[in-house]
Coordinates of all heavy atoms in Angstrom, one line a residue:
A1160 N -6.0 23.2 1.4 CA -4.7 23.3 0.7 C -3.5 23.0 1.6 O -2.6 22.3 1.2 CB -4.6 24.7 0.0
L1161 N -3.5 23.7 2.7 CA -2.3 23.5 3.6 C -2.2 22.1 4.1 O -1.1 21.6 4.2 CB -2.4 24.5 4.8 CG -1.1 24.6 5.7 CD1 0.1 24.9 4.8 CD2 -1.3 25.7 6.8
Y1162 N -3.3 21.5 4.5 CA -3.3 20.1 4.9 C -2.8 19.2 3.8 O -1.9 18.3 4.0 CB -4.7 19.7 5.4 CG -4.9 18.2 5.5 CD1 -4.3 17.5 6.5 CD2 -5.6 17.6 4.5 CE1 -4.5 16.1 6.6 CE2 -5.8 16.2 4.6 CZ -5.3 15.5 5.6 OH -5.5 14.1 5.7
F1163 N -3.3 19.4 2.6 CA -2.9 18.6 1.5 C -1.4 18.7 1.2 O -0.7 17.7 1.0 CB -3.7 19.1 0.2 CG -3.4 18.3 -1.0 CD1 -4.1 17.1 -1.3 CD2 -2.5 18.8 -1.9 CE1 -3.8 16.4 -2.5 CE2 -2.2 18.1 -3.1 CZ -2.9 16.9 -3.4
I1164 N -0.9 20.0 1.2 CA 0.5 20.2 0.9 C 1.4 19.5 2.0 O 2.4 19.0 1.7 CB 0.8 21.7 0.9 CG1 0.1 22.3 -0.4 CG2 2.3 22.0 0.9 CD1 0.1 23.8 -0.4
T1165 N 0.9 19.6 3.3 CA 1.6 19.0 4.4 C 1.8 17.5 4.2 O 2.9 16.9 4.3 CB 0.9 19.3 5.7 OG1 0.8 20.7 5.9 CG2 1.7 18.7 6.9
V1166 N 0.7 16.8 3.8 CA 0.7 15.4 3.7 C 1.6 15.0 2.5 O 2.5 14.1 2.6 CB -0.7 14.8 3.5 CG1 -0.6 13.3 3.2 CG2 -1.5 15.1 4.7
V1167 N 1.4 15.6 1.3 CA 2.2 15.3 0.1 C 3.6 15.6 0.3 O 4.5 14.8 -0.1 CB 1.6 16.1 -1.1 CG1 2.5 15.9 -2.3 CG2 0.2 15.6 -1.4
S1168 N 4.0 16.7 1.0 CA 5.4 17.1 1.2 C 6.0 16.0 2.2 O 7.2 15.6 2.0 CB 5.5 18.4 1.9 OG 5.0 19.4 1.0
S1169 N 5.3 15.5 3.2 CA 5.8 14.5 4.0 C 6.0 13.2 3.3 O 7.0 12.5 3.5 CB 4.8 14.3 5.2 OG 4.7 15.5 6.0
F1170 N 5.1 12.9 2.4 CA 5.3 11.7 1.6 C 6.5 11.8 0.7 O 7.3 10.8 0.6 CB 4.1 11.4 0.7 CG 2.8 10.9 1.4 CD1 1.6 11.1 0.9 CD2 3.0 10.2 2.6 CE1 0.5 10.5 1.5 CE2 1.9 9.7 3.3 CZ 0.6 9.9 2.7
L1171 N 6.7 12.9 0.1 CA 7.9 13.1 -0.8 C 9.2 13.1 0.0 O 10.2 12.5 -0.4 CB 7.7 14.5 -1.5 CG 6.6 14.6 -2.6 CD1 6.5 16.0 -3.1 CD2 6.9 13.6 -3.7
A1172 N 9.2 13.7 1.2 CA 10.4 13.7 2.0 C 10.7 12.3 2.5 O 11.9 11.9 2.4 CB 10.2 14.6 3.3
Y1173 N 9.7 11.5 2.8 CA 9.9 10.2 3.3 C 10.4 9.3 2.1 O 11.4 8.5 2.2 CB 8.6 9.6 3.8 CG 8.8 8.2 4.4 CD1 9.5 7.9 5.5 CD2 8.1 7.1 3.7 CE1 9.6 6.7 6.0 CE2 8.3 5.8 4.2 CZ 9.0 5.6 5.4 OH 9.1 4.3 5.9
S1174 N 9.8 9.5 0.9 CA 10.1 8.6 -0.2 C 11.5 9.0 -0.9 O 12.2 8.1 -1.3 CB 9.0 8.7 -1.3 OG 7.8 8.3 -0.8
L1175 N 11.8 10.3 -0.9 CA 12.9 10.7 -1.7 C 14.2 11.0 -0.8 O 15.3 11.2 -1.3 CB 12.6 12.0 -2.5 CG 11.4 11.8 -3.5 CD1 11.2 13.2 -4.2 CD2 11.7 10.7 -4.5
I1176 N 13.9 11.1 0.5 CA 15.1 11.3 1.5 C 15.3 10.1 2.4 O 16.4 9.5 2.4 CB 14.9 12.6 2.3 CG1 14.8 13.8 1.3 CG2 16.0 12.8 3.3 CD1 14.5 15.1 2.0
V1177 N 14.2 9.8 3.1 CA 14.4 8.7 4.1 C 14.6 7.3 3.5 O 15.5 6.6 3.9 CB 13.1 8.7 5.1 CG1 13.2 7.5 6.1 CG2 12.9 10.0 5.8
V1178 N 13.8 7.0 2.5 CA 13.9 5.7 1.9 C 15.3 5.5 1.2 O 15.9 4.5 1.4 CB 12.7 5.5 0.9 CG1 13.0 4.3 0.0 CG2 11.4 5.3 1.6
P1179 N 15.8 6.5 0.4 CA 17.1 6.3 -0.1 C 18.2 6.1 0.9 O 19.1 5.4 0.7 CB 17.3 7.6 -0.9 CG 16.0 8.0 -1.3 CD 15.1 7.7 -0.1
I1180 N 18.0 6.8 2.1 CA 19.0 6.7 3.2 C 19.0 5.3 3.7 O 20.0 4.6 4.0 CB 18.7 7.7 4.3 CG1 19.1 9.1 3.8 CG2 19.5 7.4 5.5 CD1 18.8 10.2 4.8
I1181 N 17.7 4.7 3.9 CA 17.6 3.3 4.3 C 18.3 2.4 3.4 O 19.0 1.4 3.8 CB 16.1 3.0 4.5 CG1 15.5 3.8 5.6 CG2 15.9 1.5 4.8 CD1 13.9 3.6 5.7
L1182 N 18.0 2.6 2.1 CA 18.7 1.7 1.1 C 20.2 1.8 1.1 O 20.9 0.8 1.0 CB 18.2 2.1 -0.3 CG 16.8 1.6 -0.8 CD1 16.4 2.3 -2.1 CD2 16.8 0.1 -1.0
F1183 N 20.7 3.0 1.3 CA 22.2 3.2 1.4 C 22.8 2.5 2.6 O 23.8 1.8 2.6 CB 22.5 4.7 1.3 CG 24.0 4.9 1.4 CD1 24.8 4.8 0.3 CD2 24.5 5.3 2.6 CE1 26.2 5.1 0.4 CE2 25.9 5.6 2.8 CZ 26.7 5.5 1.7
I1184 N 22.1 2.8 3.8 CA 22.7 2.4 5.1 C 22.6 0.9 5.2 O 23.6 0.2 5.6 CB 22.0 3.1 6.2 CG1 22.4 4.6 6.3 CG2 22.5 2.4 7.6 CD1 21.7 5.3 7.4
F1185 N 21.5 0.3 4.9 CA 21.3 -1.1 5.2 C 21.6 -2.1 4.0 O 21.8 -3.3 4.2 CB 19.8 -1.4 5.6 CG 19.5 -0.8 7.0 CD1 18.9 0.4 7.1 CD2 19.8 -1.5 8.1 CE1 18.6 1.0 8.3 CE2 19.5 -0.9 9.4 CZ 18.9 0.3 9.5
G1186 N 21.6 -1.5 2.8 CA 21.9 -2.3 1.6 C 23.0 -1.9 0.7 O 23.4 -2.6 -0.2
R1187 N 23.5 -0.7 1.0 CA 24.5 -0.1 0.1 C 24.0 -0.2 -1.4 O 24.8 -0.6 -2.3 CB 25.9 -0.9 0.2 CG 26.4 -0.9 1.6 CD 26.8 0.4 2.2 NE 27.9 1.0 1.5 CZ 28.4 2.2 1.8 NH1 27.9 2.9 2.7 NH2 29.5 2.6 1.1
I1188 N 22.8 0.2 -1.6 CA 22.1 0.1 -2.9 C 21.9 1.5 -3.5 O 21.5 2.4 -2.7 CB 20.8 -0.7 -2.7 CG1 21.0 -2.1 -2.4 CG2 19.9 -0.5 -4.0 CD1 19.8 -2.9 -2.0
N1189 N 22.1 1.6 -4.7 CA 21.8 2.9 -5.4 C 20.2 3.0 -5.6 O 19.6 2.2 -6.2 CB 22.4 2.8 -6.8 CG 22.2 4.1 -7.6 OD1 21.4 5.0 -7.2 ND2 23.0 4.3 -8.7
P1190 N 19.7 4.0 -4.9 CA 18.2 4.2 -4.9 C 17.6 4.4 -6.3 O 16.5 4.0 -6.5 CB 18.0 5.5 -4.0 CG 19.2 5.6 -3.2 CD 20.3 5.0 -4.1
I1191 N 18.4 5.0 -7.2 CA 17.9 5.2 -8.6 C 17.5 3.9 -9.2 O 16.5 3.8 -9.9 CB 18.9 6.0 -9.4 CG1 19.1 7.4 -8.8 CG2 18.4 6.2 -10.8 CD1 20.1 8.3 -9.5
L1192 N 18.4 2.9 -9.0 CA 18.1 1.6 -9.7 C 16.9 1.0 -9.1 O 16.1 0.4 -9.9 CB 19.3 0.7 -9.4 CG 20.6 1.0 -10.1 CD1 21.7 0.1 -9.6 CD2 20.5 1.0 -11.6
H1193 N 16.6 1.2 -7.8 CA 15.4 0.6 -7.2 C 14.2 1.3 -7.8 O 13.2 0.6 -8.1 CB 15.5 0.7 -5.7 CG 14.3 0.0 -5.1 ND1 14.1 -1.3 -5.0 CD2 13.2 0.6 -4.5 CE1 12.9 -1.6 -4.4 NE2 12.4 -0.5 -4.1
F1194 N 14.2 2.6 -7.8 CA 13.0 3.4 -8.3 C 12.7 3.0 -9.7 O 11.6 2.9 -10.1 CB 13.2 4.9 -8.1 CG 13.0 5.4 -6.8 CD1 14.0 5.6 -5.9 CD2 11.7 5.7 -6.4 CE1 13.8 6.1 -4.6 CE2 11.4 6.2 -5.1 CZ 12.5 6.4 -4.2
K1195 N 13.8 2.8 -10.5 CA 13.6 2.5 -11.9 C 13.0 1.1 -12.1 O 12.1 0.9 -12.9 CB 14.9 2.5 -12.6 CG 14.8 2.3 -14.1 CD 16.2 2.4 -14.8 CE 16.1 2.2 -16.3 NZ 17.4 2.4 -17.0
A1196 N 13.4 0.2 -11.2 CA 12.9 -1.2 -11.3 C 11.5 -1.3 -10.8 O 10.7 -2.1 -11.4 CB 13.8 -2.1 -10.5
I1197 N 11.1 -0.6 -9.8 CA 9.8 -0.7 -9.2 C 8.7 0.3 -9.7 O 7.6 0.2 -9.4 CB 9.9 -0.5 -7.6 CG1 8.7 -1.2 -6.9 CG2 10.0 0.9 -7.3 CD1 8.7 -2.7 -7.0
S1198 N 9.1 1.1 -10.7 CA 8.3 2.2 -11.1 C 6.9 1.7 -11.7 O 5.9 2.4 -11.4 CB 9.0 3.1 -12.2 OG 9.6 2.3 -13.2
P1199 N 6.8 0.7 -12.5 CA 5.5 0.2 -12.9 C 4.5 -0.1 -11.8 O 3.3 0.3 -11.8 CB 5.7 -1.0 -13.8 CG 7.1 -0.8 -14.3 CD 7.9 -0.2 -13.1
A1200 N 5.1 -0.7 -10.7 CA 4.2 -1.0 -9.5 C 3.8 0.3 -8.8 O 2.7 0.4 -8.3 CB 5.0 -1.9 -8.6
L1201 N 4.7 1.3 -8.8 CA 4.3 2.6 -8.2 C 3.2 3.3 -8.9 O 2.3 3.9 -8.3 CB 5.6 3.5 -8.1 CG 6.8 3.0 -7.3 CD1 7.9 4.0 -7.2 CD2 6.3 2.6 -5.8
F1202 N 3.3 3.3 -10.3 CA 2.2 3.9 -11.1 C 0.9 3.2 -10.9 O -0.1 3.8 -10.8 CB 2.6 3.9 -12.5 CG 3.6 5.0 -12.9 CD1 4.9 4.8 -13.4 CD2 3.2 6.4 -12.7 CE1 5.7 5.8 -13.7 CE2 4.1 7.4 -13.1 CZ 5.4 7.1 -13.5
T1203 N 1.0 1.8 -10.8 CA -0.2 1.1 -10.6 C -0.8 1.4 -9.2 O -2.0 1.5 -9.1 CB 0.1 -0.5 -10.7 OG1 0.7 -0.7 -11.9 CG2 -1.2 -1.3 -10.6
A1204 N 0.0 1.5 -8.2 CA -0.4 1.8 -6.8 C -1.1 3.2 -6.8 O -2.1 3.4 -6.2 CB 0.7 1.7 -5.9
F1205 N -0.5 4.1 -7.5 CA -1.0 5.5 -7.5 C -2.4 5.5 -8.2 O -3.3 6.2 -7.7 CB -0.1 6.4 -8.3 CG -0.5 7.8 -8.3 CD1 -0.2 8.7 -7.3 CD2 -1.1 8.4 -9.4 CE1 -0.6 10.0 -7.3 CE2 -1.5 9.7 -9.5 CZ -1.2 10.5 -8.4
S1206 N -2.6 4.8 -9.2 CA -3.8 4.8 -10.0 C -4.9 4.0 -9.3 O -6.1 4.3 -9.4 CB -3.7 4.4 -11.4 OG -3.1 3.0 -11.5
T1207 N -4.6 2.8 -8.7 CA -5.6 2.0 -8.1 C -5.9 2.3 -6.6 O -7.0 1.9 -6.2 CB -5.1 0.5 -8.1 OG1 -3.9 0.3 -7.4 CG2 -4.8 0.0 -9.6
S1208 N -5.0 2.9 -5.9 CA -5.1 3.2 -4.5 C -5.4 1.9 -3.7 O -6.0 1.9 -2.7 CB -6.3 4.2 -4.2 OG -6.1 5.4 -4.9
S1209 N -4.8 0.8 -4.2 CA -5.0 -0.4 -3.5 C -3.7 -1.2 -3.5 O -3.2 -1.6 -4.6 CB -6.1 -1.3 -4.2 OG -6.1 -2.6 -3.6
S1210 N -3.1 -1.5 -2.3 CA -1.9 -2.3 -2.2 C -2.2 -3.7 -2.6 O -1.3 -4.4 -3.2 CB -1.4 -2.2 -0.8 OG -1.1 -0.9 -0.4
A1211 N -3.4 -4.2 -2.3 CA -3.7 -5.6 -2.6 C -3.8 -5.8 -4.1 O -3.3 -6.8 -4.7 CB -5.0 -6.0 -1.9
A1212 N -4.4 -4.8 -4.8 CA -4.6 -4.9 -6.2 C -3.2 -4.8 -6.9 O -3.0 -5.3 -8.0 CB -5.5 -3.8 -6.8
T1213 N -2.3 -4.0 -6.3 CA -1.0 -3.8 -6.9 C 0.0 -5.0 -6.7 O 1.0 -5.0 -7.3 CB -0.4 -2.5 -6.4 OG1 -1.3 -1.4 -6.4 CG2 0.9 -2.1 -7.1
L1214 N -0.4 -5.9 -5.8 CA 0.5 -6.9 -5.4 C 1.1 -7.7 -6.5 O 2.3 -8.0 -6.6 CB -0.2 -7.8 -4.4 CG 0.7 -8.9 -3.7 CD1 0.2 -9.1 -2.2 CD2 0.6 -10.2 -4.4
P1215 N 0.3 -8.2 -7.5 CA 0.9 -8.9 -8.6 C 1.9 -8.1 -9.4 O 2.9 -8.7 -9.8 CB -0.4 -9.3 -9.5 CG -1.5 -9.1 -8.6 CD -1.2 -8.1 -7.6
V1216 N 1.7 -6.8 -9.6 CA 2.6 -6.0 -10.3 C 3.9 -5.8 -9.5 O 5.0 -5.8 -10.1 CB 2.0 -4.7 -10.7 CG1 2.9 -3.8 -11.6 CG2 0.6 -4.8 -11.4
T1217 N 3.7 -5.7 -8.2 CA 4.9 -5.5 -7.4 C 5.8 -6.7 -7.4 O 7.1 -6.6 -7.6 CB 4.5 -5.3 -5.9 OG1 3.6 -4.2 -5.8 CG2 5.7 -4.9 -5.0

Side-chain angles (χ1 to χ4, degrees):
L1161 187 55
Y1162 163 74
F1163 181 86
I1164 292 172
T1165 303
V1166 177
V1167 172
S1168 298
S1169 298
F1170 284 159
L1171 290 175
Y1173 184 68
S1174 301
L1175 302 180
I1176 299 176
V1177 177
V1178 168
I1180 290 175
I1181 293 174
L1182 281 169
F1183 177 81
I1184 293 177
F1185 292 97
R1187 305 295 291 179
I1188 291 172
N1189 185 344
I1191 296 177
L1192 292 176
H1193 182 75
F1194 279 98
K1195 186 176 180 180
I1197 201 67
S1198 53
L1201 298 182
F1202 281 118
T1203 305
F1205 184 81
S1206 57
T1207 62
S1208 299
S1209 172
S1210 300
T1213 310
L1214 188 144
V1216 185
T1217 305

